[in-house]
Amino acid sequence: MDYIIKCTREEKEILQIALYGYLNRYRERLKEVQDSVYREAIEDKIRITEKMLEEIG
């Protein structure tokens, strides 16, 4: 990540839970969408969210 967020362990856990929630929702939306442009945007959000989770973990 290009930035550092100092946080407590509890805050880190909350952030991870929120990111997993977004990731699951993005994956659900990916199943629903047919438009290729919109599909690419969702896939980009999935990649970004996965990367953030790896960097936090």
Side-chain angles (χ1 to χ4, degrees):
M1 282 187 191
D2 294 336
Y3 53 89
I4 298 173
I5 299 174
K6 293 187 179 192
C7 59
T8 65
R9 182 179 178 99
E10 292 82 14
E11 291 168 333
K12 182 179 174 181
E13 289 173 1
I14 291 168
L15 182 58
Q16 286 176 316
I17 290 168
L19 286 171
Y20 277 115
Y22 281 115
L23 186 59
N24 289 333
R25 181 61 189 131
Y26 291 144
R27 288 178 176 157
E28 288 299 316
R29 286 171 57 191
L30 194 59
K31 294 176 189 176
E32 299 167 358
V33 73
Q34 300 297 322
D35 183 8
S36 64
V37 174
Y38 191 58
R39 186 173 190 80
E40 287 179 27
I42 294 172
E43 289 170 345
D44 287 342
K45 289 180 182 183
I46 289 172
R47 279 191 288 278
I48 291 167
T49 306
E50 288 173 338
K51 184 177 179 185
M52 290 175 71
L53 283 165
E54 286 176 15
E55 293 178 5
I56 289 173

